[in-house]
Amino acid sequence: MTLQRSVMREQIKELVIQRILEGTYKPGDRVVELQLVQELGVSQAPVREALRDLEAMRLIETEPYRGARVREVTPEELTESYPVRAALEELAGQLASTLATEETFTLLEAEMQNMHDAAEANDQHGLLVHDARFHEVIVEAAGNSVLLDSWGGLRIEAFTLVSVIKSQLDLGAIAQTHQPIVDALRQRDADLTGKVMRDHIEHFGSTLFGGTTHV
Amino acid sequence: MTLQRSVMREQIKELVIQRILEGTYKPGDRVVELQLVQELGVSQAPVREALRDLEAMRLIETEPYRGARVREVTPEELTESYPVRAALEELAGQLASTLATEETFTLLEAEMQNMHDAAEANDQHGLLVHDARFHEVIVEAAGNSVLLDSWGGLRIEAFTLVSVIKSQLDLGAIAQTHQPIVDALRQRDADLTGKVMRDHIEHFGSTLFGGTTHV
DNA sequence: TCCTAAGCGATTATCGATAATCTAGAGCGA
DNA sequence: TCGCTCTAGATTATCGATAATCGCTTAGGA
């Protein structure tokens, strides 16, 4: 942890994000300012500013004079996020179908390969990371920065990782379901691509909850 | 400025937001920390934290050691936001059509009245505020907090206010176009409501750019 | 015993000062 | 004159310390 490319606040932010995603900080855990201050040997100011950022990113919650804690991602919230994802990614698919370049397809196929590799190795974490990246590539290809921000605001990786990490999924099957998306994109058919994206998300959403019925 | 209901940071944030929306701080203007410090008689820390929040809200942009300035809302960005709004509000309409209560309708009709009043008084600012609130009521009625957050993240009021303030619109006509939405909701027809919402947004978007063709 | 309230330890919020960095402009050499 | 370096002023980033607040404990009284 000797990097110092940017301002301290950014480094602290990255560190805490990493710990949340890795599970070092678990949902509900408190994030105490002075603890980080001591551990990192910095002052309180940059820590506080980093926490403000993380609050805006919805990774933590804070209450005045009561501190910050890692946000609980409730099953309700995860459930609710899928219709929103579906709506946004349907739009992304429509837009991307006319804007996708060869580079887009190269990226998508690379991520598909990565997903298959991860499935092979039974690496759930890796699969989900590459899955998220696959979708991100499409949203980027849609060429709409507002859409990209909105989608990014859903924190797909974080939510999915945190919540699914325990369930048993058929990783190979998940990797496989991305092929139709690429096919539709290649056909340059906006409506079809949109529909395929929507179905894909909704299917993944229900699979997820099929696999983790309990709370 | 003697209020002090909550923590200072929140008050400072509110103040700056108000100034941006009012136009006291115009897009591109610098927001200097020490200036606010002097003016408000507070220390730099809460000002900086407020600015971090505003940055996350995308009302300002900051660069390390170069300070904050009010974000330019480019015409491109406004253009891009409409498809996203349309997608989100289509979903909101679908969900709200089954969940809307009598209270929802009461609120919607009140806002419609407010819009008509504002149109009568040729009060563009007022019309847009109530327009935004009308849509917000529907998104709230959809009962999906993730959707509500995503929609809120678009900062409809801010963007619209900042950008449209100069153009000449037929206020009465705008107020009028909200009736079909309420009608569709009352019919409890999800697909219809979704479609009406989408058309409404897309129509408003193109009207806007019809009226403000120039940059 | 039960209730109340004052006190204490822990933590956050704010302060005032210092260090780091940027920007514009003066001075200087070619 | 032009271009470059360097310095001064302005501004942001960070620091170390203090004030405010919270939750819990516990002493005291009925």
Side-chain angles (χ1 to χ4, degrees):
Chain A
M1 203 35 63
T2 45
L3 278 177
Q4 47 170 329
R5 58 182 172 196
S6 66
V7 282
M8 223 163 261
R9 153 170 43 100
E10 294 297 328
Q11 300 176 56
I12 298 169
K13 189 167 78 172
E14 296 297 331
L15 176 72
V16 177
I17 289 179
Q18 192 181 342
R19 288 188 177 178
I20 291 177
L21 294 186
E22 283 177 359
T24 311
Y25 293 159
K26 293 187 181 56
D29 281 1
R30 290 198 51 193
V31 181
V32 180
E33 296 178 3
L34 287 186
Q35 232 168 61
L36 284 169
V37 165
Q38 278 205 314
E39 178 186 342
L40 304 178
V42 299
S43 159
Q44 205 182 342
V47 173
R48 284 178 62 79
E49 296 187 18
L51 292 183
R52 289 287 92 66
D53 280 3
L54 293 174
E55 183 180 17
M57 293 171 73
R58 311 203 160 265
L59 286 178
I60 63 173
E61 283 176 324
T62 73
E63 276 187 285
Y65 294 105
R66 307 193 53 225
R69 52 184 64 238
V70 179
R71 207 151 109 65
E72 292 277 3
V73 178
T74 65
E76 290 75 39
E77 193 168 358
L78 196 61
T79 308
E80 288 181 355
S81 76
Y82 275 92
V84 181
R85 268 195 77 178
L88 292 179
E89 295 206 23
E90 178 177 25
L91 175 61
Q94 289 169 358
L95 297 175
S97 70
T98 63
L99 293 176
T101 64
E102 264 319 305
E103 191 193 343
T104 308
F105 289 113
T106 304
L107 288 171
L108 290 179
E109 270 148 18
E111 291 305 339
M112 289 228 300
Q113 187 57 52
N114 288 337
M115 279 190 264
H116 278 112
D117 292 348
E120 203 81 20
N122 203 35
D123 172 11
Q124 191 174 62
H125 181 285
L127 178 87
L128 293 172
V129 167
H130 291 296
D131 175 77
R133 178 62 190 142
F134 177 94
H135 288 270
E136 188 180 31
V137 168
I138 294 178
V139 178
E140 285 172 356
N144 181 318
S145 62
V146 176
L147 175 59
L148 182 58
D149 283 348
S150 289
W151 185 85
L154 295 179
R155 301 272 125 210
I156 307 294
E157 354 67 90
F159 284 11
T160 311
L161 282 175
V162 167
S163 307
V164 189
I165 211 74
K166 290 293 169 48
S167 68
Q168 226 16 25
L169 298 172
D170 181 344
L171 303 187
I174 290 179
Q176 202 56 50
T177 56
H178 292 79
Q179 187 62 55
I181 297 176
V182 177
D183 294 342
L185 276 171
R186 280 214 186 272
Q187 290 179 47
R188 305 286 183 191
D189 183 332
D191 287 343
L192 175 64
T193 307
K195 187 173 176 344
V196 171
M197 290 287 288
R198 168 176 288 280
D199 290 348
H200 173 86
I201 301 294
E202 287 173 346
H203 175 260
F204 185 66
S206 49
T207 299
L208 202 56
F209 296 113
T212 60
T213 312
H214 59 83
V215 175
Chain B
M1 204 33 64
T2 47
L3 279 176
Q4 48 171 328
R5 61 183 171 195
S6 65
V7 282
M8 221 161 265
R9 152 169 44 101
E10 294 296 327
Q11 299 176 57
I12 297 170
K13 188 168 79 172
E14 297 297 331
L15 175 73
V16 177
I17 289 178
Q18 192 181 343
R19 288 188 177 176
I20 291 176
L21 294 187
E22 284 177 356
T24 310
Y25 291 160
K26 293 186 181 54
D29 282 0
R30 293 229 306 147
V31 182
V32 179
E33 295 178 5
L34 288 186
Q35 231 167 63
L36 284 169
V37 165
Q38 278 205 313
E39 180 187 341
L40 304 178
V42 301
S43 159
Q44 204 181 344
V47 172
R48 283 179 61 80
E49 294 187 20
L51 292 182
R52 290 285 93 65
D53 279 4
L54 292 174
E55 184 180 16
M57 294 171 71
R58 311 204 161 263
L59 286 177
I60 64 172
E61 283 176 323
T62 75
E63 278 188 283
Y65 293 105
R66 310 202 39 232
R69 51 184 65 237
V70 179
R71 208 152 109 65
E72 292 277 3
V73 179
T74 65
E76 289 75 39
E77 191 167 1
L78 197 61
T79 307
E80 288 181 355
S81 75
Y82 276 91
V84 180
R85 267 195 79 177
L88 292 178
E89 295 207 23
E90 177 176 24
L91 174 61
Q94 289 169 358
L95 297 175
S97 70
T98 62
L99 293 176
T101 64
E102 265 318 305
E103 191 193 343
T104 307
F105 289 113
T106 304
L107 288 171
L108 290 178
E109 272 148 16
E111 292 304 340
M112 288 227 301
Q113 186 58 52
N114 288 337
M115 278 190 265
H116 278 112
D117 292 348
E120 202 81 21
N122 203 36
D123 172 10
Q124 190 174 63
H125 180 283
L127 178 88
L128 293 173
V129 167
H130 291 296
D131 174 77
R133 178 62 189 142
F134 177 95
H135 288 270
E136 188 180 32
V137 167
I138 294 178
V139 178
E140 285 172 356
N144 180 319
S145 63
V146 176
L147 175 59
L148 182 59
D149 283 348
S150 289
W151 186 85
L154 293 179
R155 300 275 125 208
I156 308 294
E157 357 64 273
F159 284 12
T160 311
L161 281 175
V162 167
S163 307
V164 190
I165 211 72
K166 290 292 170 46
S167 67
Q168 229 13 27
L169 298 172
D170 182 344
L171 303 187
I174 291 178
Q176 202 57 50
T177 55
H178 291 79
Q179 188 63 53
I181 297 175
V182 178
D183 294 342
L185 277 171
R186 280 215 186 273
Q187 290 180 46
R188 304 287 181 189
D189 183 331
D191 287 342
L192 176 64
T193 307
K195 186 174 177 342
V196 170
M197 290 287 289
R198 167 177 286 280
D199 290 348
H200 173 86
I201 301 295
E202 287 173 347
H203 175 260
F204 185 65
S206 49
T207 299
L208 202 56
F209 297 113
T212 60
T213 312
H214 60 82
V215 176

